[in-house]
Amino acid sequence: MVKIKEKKWKAKNFRQLSNEIIRDPMVYLTEFFGGAASAEEWLREINLTVNSAVCPEMACADVLQNGFHCQQLILQVEVAYLLYKKAGLKRQAAPLAFFRLHADYVAYSDRGAYTQGGGVDPADTLSRFFSFQSLRAWYTALDELMRFLTCPKLPDDGWPADRALAVRELLLRLGQAMYVIYERGGSLTVVPSDSAATVR
């Protein structure tokens, strides 16, 4: 399980986290991945939600469903932030430099595995995610996604393509990292990519 630091987290510090999830993030991970959604389905929903928001022509007609997925993303980002802080992970200078080794590129292109240095490393993913921007900035980004989903055409203050691609990729990587953490019973430890859980 993740090493817990002494800081006292409370539900009032977050939008959606309950005190039960703050005490044990596996409650959320088990409920979400153990029953509500498969990892593969969740990654498709993330992809569709971001695509629909930044390119209205690609939107699903069911705006309520899209809004639900935005709410789920906020909750998952909050749980990820809690894990990130409890594990005492450090910020990274180049959070978008995803392929450190050729093996990382091969793992991604062949199996859809997000690896770093040859191993599936959820801690690295969480570190990259919150090095790209803070929890507060992620709230803003997800609020903007929700707003964009209600617009028949992208507003003038919509995201440039490079930002949209970075946000989508980071959310996808976070979704898979959270699934791997669930599969490992809460562990953030690195394991070699060929023996790691990947999307099924």
Side-chain angles (χ1 to χ4, degrees):
M1 192 58 175
V2 177
K3 182 180 176 184
I4 297 179
K5 293 198 158 194
E6 291 305 310
K7 181 169 173 67
K8 295 286 183 193
W9 298 95
K10 294 188 174 25
K12 68 181 181 182
N13 301 127
F14 299 94
R15 287 189 183 179
Q16 296 188 34
L17 286 188
S18 66
N19 285 322
E20 181 185 23
I21 293 172
I22 290 171
R23 280 191 302 275
D24 182 6
M26 279 303 291
V27 168
Y28 162 79
L29 292 171
T30 302
E31 182 179 315
F32 189 78
F33 289 115
S38 71
E40 189 175 62
E41 176 189 0
W42 178 231
L43 296 185
R44 284 196 305 268
E45 295 293 0
I46 292 170
N47 190 53
L48 180 60
T49 300
V50 178
N51 287 350
S52 299
V54 299
C55 184
E57 295 84 356
M58 297 173 69
C60 166
D62 190 348
V63 176
L64 289 177
Q65 190 69 7
N66 290 331
F68 171 76
H69 293 130
C70 277
Q71 292 299 317
Q72 290 300 309
L73 280 168
I74 290 170
L75 180 54
Q76 192 155 105
V77 167
E78 288 185 331
V79 173
Y81 183 76
L82 187 66
L83 293 170
Y84 166 75
K85 292 306 258 183
K86 285 184 174 186
L89 301 176
K90 304 295 181 207
R91 293 176 54 83
Q92 298 187 30
L96 299 181
F98 295 123
F99 302 113
R100 214 170 71 210
L101 300 178
H102 181 67
D104 299 325
Y105 171 77
V106 171
Y108 176 72
S109 63
D110 287 358
R111 299 185 309 282
Y114 296 120
T115 66
Q116 196 55 229
V120 173
D121 188 354
D124 179 77
T125 299
L126 268 59
S127 171
R128 285 176 187 281
F129 192 84
F130 293 108
S131 295
F132 178 73
Q133 59 187 19
S134 67
L135 176 61
R136 184 180 299 247
W138 277 110
Y139 281 144
T140 300
L142 293 169
D143 289 344
E144 287 173 338
L145 272 184
M146 182 89 84
R147 180 169 61 90
F148 296 165
L149 284 165
T150 65
C151 299
K153 99 184 218 335
L154 192 63
D156 291 337
D157 62 345
W159 295 341
D162 58 347
R163 175 161 173 77
L165 289 171
V167 165
R168 184 181 64 185
E169 184 67 14
L170 285 162
L171 286 170
L172 287 168
R173 287 171 176 267
L174 182 70
Q176 185 161 345
M178 297 298 275
Y179 173 72
V180 171
I181 294 167
Y182 159 71
E183 284 280 287
R184 296 181 188 167
S187 173
L188 298 180
T189 342
V190 183
V191 298
S193 62
D194 50 353
S195 64
T198 54
V199 176
R200 296 176 191 152

